[in-house]
Structures are given as C-alpha cells and as structure tokens.
C-alpha cells in the first residue's frame, strides 16, 4: 500500500544505516538537527540523545551497535509519520 516504506525508496542503498550511530545521525539531520533537552558536546551525541528522547532509539544506545534492516525500516516509518 501507499503507507509501505522500502529502504530503496527512502535511501540510496549505500546510505542504509548499519549502526545506531549512523541511524541517529540520519534521523537527526532529516529533522533539521534539533537540540535535545539536555545539551551535548558533539553533533553525534546530540543526535543520539534527541533520538532517545523521541523514542526512536533505546536508552542503552551504543553508536557502534548493529541495527537490523527491519528495525531501520520501522524507525524510519515512525519518524516519517511524526512529521
């Protein structure tokens, strides 16, 4: 249906995030780099904190932790519906 989001539609194949850090930065940048409620020292940390605050990623965020493609799709759909 129209509400189906495929990774190929959303991103070039080379840009599909493989880690939580990559996914956090993609979501954060697509949202316009909003600042989280708790200030962070780096953009990567701000992206991670903001994604946790939005409920896209868990509190146990680890930048190098692998994210399966099905989770990337679910989180991208969640973020798309929030806009």
């Amino acid at each position: 249906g129209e509400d189906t989001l495929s990774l190929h539609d959303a991103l070039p194949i080379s840009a599909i995030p493989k880690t939580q850090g990559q996914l956090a930065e993609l979501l954060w940048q697509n949202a316009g780099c909003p600042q989280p409620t708790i200030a962070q020292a780096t953009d990567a940390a701000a992206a991670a904190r903001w994604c946790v605050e939005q409920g896209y990623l868990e509190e146990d965020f680890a930048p190098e932790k692998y994210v399966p493609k099905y989770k990337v799709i679910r989180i991208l759909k969640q973020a798309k519906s929030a806009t």
Side-chain angles (χ1 to χ4, degrees):
E2 286 185 23
D3 61 342
T4 303
L5 174 70
S6 95
L7 285 175
H8 300 289
D9 296 335
L11 300 167
I13 194 72
S14 61
I16 296 171
K18 292 177 179 50
T19 66
Q20 286 187 350
Q22 292 170 346
L23 180 56
E25 290 200 43
L26 174 70
L27 291 166
W28 183 67
Q29 289 169 354
N30 285 347
C33 303
Q35 289 305 304
T37 57
I38 301 168
Q40 303 295 311
T42 66
D43 284 352
R49 183 75 233 156
W50 181 82
C51 286
V52 169
E53 290 175 0
Q54 302 306 306
Y56 299 139
L57 297 170
E58 304 294 323
E59 287 285 343
D60 66 350
F61 176 87
E64 297 305 316
K65 185 176 179 184
Y66 174 75
V67 181
K69 286 183 184 177
Y70 79 89
K71 270 193 151 177
V72 171
I73 293 169
R74 182 177 50 81
I75 293 168
L76 289 175
K77 283 176 73 172
Q78 180 184 352
K80 187 176 181 185
S81 68
T83 57

